[in-house]
Amino acid sequence: MGLSNPNLNGLRVFSPSSILDNSLGLFEFLRYDTKALRDDSTILKDDFLDLIPKSTKIKQASKLKKSEITKQFEEFSKNLDRTLFVKNTKDELSDIKWTRIDNFCKLLRLIERSDERKTRWALYHIFATGKTRISKQNLNDLLQDFKIKNLDKVLAKIIKAETLSGLDATYDGKTFVINHDSGDKLVSHYLADAIEEPSRRSPGELEQEILELIDEGSYSNQEISQALLLDEGLVSRTISKLRDQDKITLSSFGQRGARYFTTSCDNCPFGTTKASCRKEAISYIASTFMQDFGLDLSANDFDSVEDNQALLKIKRIVMMARKEKNTKLERNLSENLEILLSKVVDKFTEIETPNKQPSTVSEIKMEVVSNISKLPMLYQLGLKKGARGGIHLMDEMLHLASKSIKKEDRLKIKKHALSESNKFLKNIGLDQKNSS
């Protein structure tokens, strides 16, 4: 999801040292000790200053002199104003964004638990000043009180993770160089988004999202973690809870013993009977095929679909296929998706031809590896149809050219093509059992 603009503003204005000085304490004071003040839109600073000595959130608050408390709170208020959390005047705070303050306070506590988060904050804080070359010494100055165990390792990890997303940065042990314009807003997100946890959902929301996902297929804990951007440990605990409640069931085992789960049709978490769910899905699919293609499907056409979850996935795919495809966004999407997926196919299906006469068919090689099975399923099905169609087309061409090509050469070419096609389909997980 990425950090919100208010949190980015907060990290820009406050420095990492805020975790160690009384800034964090003052944020927690505002979060926990100001319930009596939150109904007012404008609050006198004296009202805050009267409460601060009683707070347990601020280090040695009861022992601080009033002048010290006033000085700290005044500086803190100026920074709050710069972050747009409040409007600060000489005697009062107004337009207080309590939710923003609470969220930023939670973010600071999250940063406190991780060296990588502190380092990302330092990088972003410096970049926000306009610098694209950040010395290790500069980082050490900001982080010196945290005793980061291995700063070089942390920086290398950040570069490795973010270059996959588009960050162009290098680190040579002395300088972290960001090869972007200082005003490039994306850089802020490359550096800072990972500071926040991937998920801030409540337990109920987590369970609902997982149930909705696995209601249209079977998923392992790792796949759920990747699909919903959740910590795998959190997924494992939630799955265990849902299994205890009989809302999900073990569907099958995958490679290396991975367990795959799907919703339980006998105890549907959405309150639908197995028969009703199946009937509704088939009805929608059949109705759509008739309306869109004039194709009359019957219930018998779905006998081979064993699980309701598979039917629901087919229904979802059919539903999405009806989306208008000629708008500007969809055209741009389809054109670029085709380019990206074609790059994968081209990479793994390069045809090597010998520098000899083309009649030496047995020496033509087409390398196809199992990585290609990770392509989207609908794209795989298109490749399967294309492979089969290509074989039939080639057979027809050989038949038309039968007078100029010897029979044994035609059979040799066809056998080789069938072999390569079957190998290709096997590697994408769609074995071609029979082909004429």
Side-chain angles (χ1 to χ4, degrees), residues 55-66:
S55 176
T56 60
K57 306 297 181 182
I58 301 171
K59 295 176 184 178
Q60 299 182 325
S62 60
K63 298 180 181 180
L64 291 173
K65 295 180 180 179
K66 186 172 183 181

Side-chain angles (χ1 to χ4, degrees), residues 220-242:
S220 67
N221 287 0
Q222 184 180 37
E223 288 174 345
I224 294 170
S225 171
Q226 292 170 347
L228 300 180
L229 299 179
L230 297 170
D231 176 75
E232 198 167 334
L234 181 58
V235 170
S236 180
R237 293 192 294 272
T238 307
I239 287 292
S240 295
K241 179 180 178 181
L242 292 172

Side-chain angles (χ1 to χ4, degrees), residues 113-129:
R113 302 197 295 266
S114 165
D115 285 349
E116 182 182 335
R117 292 188 182 111
K118 294 167 191 167
T119 305
R120 283 179 176 273
W121 184 2
L123 286 169
Y124 167 67
H125 186 76
I126 298 171
F127 175 76
T129 66

